[in-house]
């Protein structure tokens, strides 16, 4: 796999060619404030002790406390975490929230652990890092394979160690344990608000045919929200493959089918397709919502979508960006499109610190104008510099960070 941190730095290089920023800012953004690697011993159910490798990267806190999810994945490694932490720094700036950027992870396939082992591992991550975490210092959240339950274990462990009872150190908690209403669908919903705001400007019709890669938190919620709003989700996939129906899939029934069968394959009225075929399916909007580097120099030329919206972090390589730019396919970048998640995480942190609980309606009513505003600012900025939306988003973010520095 291409090194995601190198990709992130290439994106930064491209922006500096379009607009000048101070050397101090660019130098600072080329490396994290600190990157921490830890080992976490876990006593497994069979009595043996296994050592896991974990990470926390605190990238930049110019705008506020470090903020960013924790990823559990067998391929997670330091360069991926650094890239994700860099993007978080820009994402918080784009969203206009008073947070900096960070990210964490553990190299583990959580499906291979029992629930007890997973809980011990999650609590172990917090024990190693509790000194650097805190509501005003560093506020982790969920990411790939980390659930509200895991966040609740982590928040509990942190409270035990520090005595801090604000619950504001971890976001993405279950709602009965200090979580915010609306955090579950926030990333998918924020993406929909961004799409809705930019739809006409990027030349998409009133009713779109949508293809989504990823059937996790982000993919499923996005699929449901797009369907509810009259768009047809014609193909969707998980890591094992996908399904296609040119008239649109019933997402609720598909989710039940996956629960029963463990895979999307064989869903009534649909055709099984591979992830490669899915990405190359003709549609109005393609939404990668799974992993990094899935659209690259090998397949970017074959993309038939009219536009792409990145709900995953880093799904397009810099080479793919260039190919799609030349083909005239607009790409709504991750740091804008998926910033609804961190925005509602920020709402959760704010509610915890003020000891408040907002209704789902209040949360969504606050989210909508923020996403709309971010989308329009970026569209204008891209026009001003005659460039693509990714560079437009980077410019908006870097201007905010530079002004604060
Ligand atoms: P998740 O663990 O809930 O789901 C990931 C999905 O991707 C699963 O359906 C999995 O089967 C699928 N997948 C894995 N490998 C794949 C492959 N090679 N091809 C196709 N599908 C594959 O994770 P999530 O929280 O939905 O996150 C997905 C992406 O969105 C990640 O890039 C994450 O960083 C980003 N993101 C998540 C949030 C959030 O709030 N959860 C916020 C912002 C960005």
């Amino acid at each position: 796999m291409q090194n995601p941190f190198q990709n992130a730095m290439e994106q930064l290089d491209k922006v500096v060619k379009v607009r000048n920023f101070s050397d101090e800012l660019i130098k600072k953004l080329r490396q994290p404030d600190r990157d921490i690697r830890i080992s976490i011993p876990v006593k497994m159910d069979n009595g043996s002790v296994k050592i896991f490798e974990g990470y926390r990267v605190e990238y930049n806190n110019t705008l506020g406390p470090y903020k960013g999810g924790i990823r559990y994945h067998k391929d997670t490694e330091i360069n991926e975490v650094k890239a994700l932490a860099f993007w978080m720094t820009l994402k918080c700036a784009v969203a206009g929230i008073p947070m900096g950027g960070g990210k964490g992870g553990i190299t583990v396939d959580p499906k291979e652990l029992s629930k007890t082992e997973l809980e011990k591992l999650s609590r172990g991550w917090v024990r190693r890092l509790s000194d650097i975490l805190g509501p005003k210092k560093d506020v982790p959240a969920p990411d790939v394979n980390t659930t509200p339950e895991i966040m609740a274990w982590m928040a509990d462990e942190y409270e035990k160690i520090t005595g801090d009872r604000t619950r504001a150190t971890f976001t993405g908690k279950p709602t009965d344990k200090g979580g915010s209403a609306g955090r579950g669908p926030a990333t998918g919903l924020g993406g929909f608000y961004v799409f809705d705001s930019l739809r006409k400007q990027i030349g998409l019709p009133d009713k779109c045919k949508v293809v989504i890669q990823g059937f996790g938190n982000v993919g499923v919620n996005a699929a449901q929200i797009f369907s509810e709003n009259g768009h047809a989700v014609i193909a969707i996939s998980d890591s094992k493959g996908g399904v296609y129906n040119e008239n649109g899939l019933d997402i609720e029934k598909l989710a039940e089918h996956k629960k029963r069968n463990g895979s999307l394959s064989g869903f009534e009225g649909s055709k099984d397709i591979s992830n490669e075929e899915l990405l190359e399916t003709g549609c109005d909007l393609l939404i990668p919502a799974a992993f990094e580097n899935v659209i690259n120099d090998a397949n970017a030329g074959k993309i038939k979508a009219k536009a792409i919206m990145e709900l995953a972090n880093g799904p397009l390589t810099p080479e793919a960006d260039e190919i799609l730019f030349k083909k005239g396919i607009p790409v709504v970048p991750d740091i804008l499109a998926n910033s609804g998640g961190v925005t509602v995480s920020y709402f959760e942190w704010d509610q915890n610190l003020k000891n408040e609980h907002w209704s789902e309606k209040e949360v969504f009513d606050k989210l909508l104008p923020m996403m709309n505003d971010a989308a329009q600012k970026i569209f204008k900025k891209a026009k001003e510099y005659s460039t693509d939306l990714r560079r437009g988003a980077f410019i908006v973010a870097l201007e905010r960070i530079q002004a604060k520095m």
Side-chain angles (χ1 to χ4, degrees), residues 364-376:
F364 294 164
D365 285 351
K366 285 180 208 281
L367 181 64
L368 173 62
M370 289 174 76
M371 293 293 101
N372 203 16
D373 186 53
Q376 289 307 317

Side-chain angles (χ1 to χ4, degrees), residues 34-54:
R34 51 177 164 182
D35 80 53
I36 301 163
R37 294 172 217 208
I38 56 173
S39 61
I40 312 165
V42 173
K43 189 160 189 186
M44 307 300 278
D45 292 349
N46 66 8
S48 68
V49 173
K50 202 168 167 184
I51 310 286
F52 293 88
E53 195 171 2

Side-chain angles (χ1 to χ4, degrees), residues 71 73 84 91 103 111 142-146 183-184 187 213-219 237-240 258 275 289-292 294 311-313 338-339 341-342:
R71 177 172 292 197
H73 197 272
L84 291 165
K91 195 180 301 181
K103 202 84 186 187
K111 290 189 192 114
D143 190 66
V144 172
N145 286 326
T146 41
R183 177 62 184 90
T187 306
Q213 184 188 46
F215 204 73
N217 170 298
V218 178
S237 66
D238 64 13
S239 56
K240 294 180 198 151
K258 176 164 173 170
N275 264 298
F291 260 79
E292 293 98 84
V294 293
L311 286 187
N313 285 306
N338 68 31
S339 64
V342 72

